[in-house]
Amino acid sequence: MEVCIVKTEKELEDAFYVRQTVFVKEQHVPVEEEIDEFEKDSVHFVLYDNTKNPIGAGRYRTFDEYGKVERICILSTNRKGGAGKAIMNKIEEYAINSGAPSLKLNAQTHAIPFYSKLGYEVVSEEFLDAGIPHRTMQKKL
């Protein structure tokens, strides 16, 4: 597996393919909510398998006091074997190199155990985003 910081239009298309497959097709998030006004202000990441097929994606935005991890997703056929951890490690490496003191993310409630294993702590009550229960999590870098 290889996680790339998106630099080309093809890599961005690959990231959007994974996001639309997971969020729009699988989880029924409206496409207009999934692809939003923050795309141009984000650093995008795409995860490729050993045959160069896109299998994961995520994005990162910088705020003054923290970095925001968003849109983390892995195709359903690749959710075991460390794919999620690989993409999170690359985003965290990028955030550290960018000087972010901490990271925040809005985790779907079923994914809280995954993020907890990576050192994130729940810092909010449950809320709905695109009709899906979430909680905000934070990690100091």
Side-chain angles (χ1 to χ4, degrees), residues 9-126:
E9 193 62 35
K10 169 73 167 89
E11 290 169 342
L12 186 60
E13 288 172 11
D14 288 346
F16 284 169
Y17 161 77
V18 175
R19 287 173 49 187
Q20 289 190 5
T21 299
V22 173
F23 295 124
V24 177
K25 292 180 182 171
E26 182 182 324
Q27 298 183 355
H28 309 291
V29 173
V31 69
E32 58 273 6
E33 287 185 43
E34 173 49 32
I35 305 300
D36 64 19
E37 69 272 17
F38 302 115
E39 303 302 344
K40 290 186 173 111
D41 299 327
S42 301
V43 177
H44 297 270
F45 296 79
V46 62
L47 172 65
Y48 292 100
D49 66 13
N50 294 333
T51 59
K52 297 292 184 188
N53 291 312
I55 61 168
R59 75 179 190 193
Y60 173 85
R61 293 190 292 140
T62 302
F63 292 85
D64 289 337
E65 63 280 0
Y66 65 92
K68 183 126 187 258
V69 180
E70 300 175 313
R71 305 301 202 266
I72 302 301
C73 57
I74 306 295
L75 295 179
S76 62
T77 54
N78 299 92
R79 288 191 185 140
K80 301 290 181 190
K85 185 176 180 181
I87 202 160
M88 288 299 296
N89 286 345
K90 186 72 168 186
I91 292 172
E92 288 182 13
E93 176 186 301
Y94 179 88
I96 289 167
N97 290 335
S98 298
S102 65
L103 293 174
K104 285 187 181 181
L105 57 82
N106 293 331
Q108 293 182 10
T109 54
H110 70 84
I112 289 173
F114 166 75
Y115 292 114
S116 292
K117 287 179 189 172
L118 297 177
Y120 289 80
E121 297 178 2
V122 173
V123 295
S124 79
E125 296 299 318
E126 188 173 295

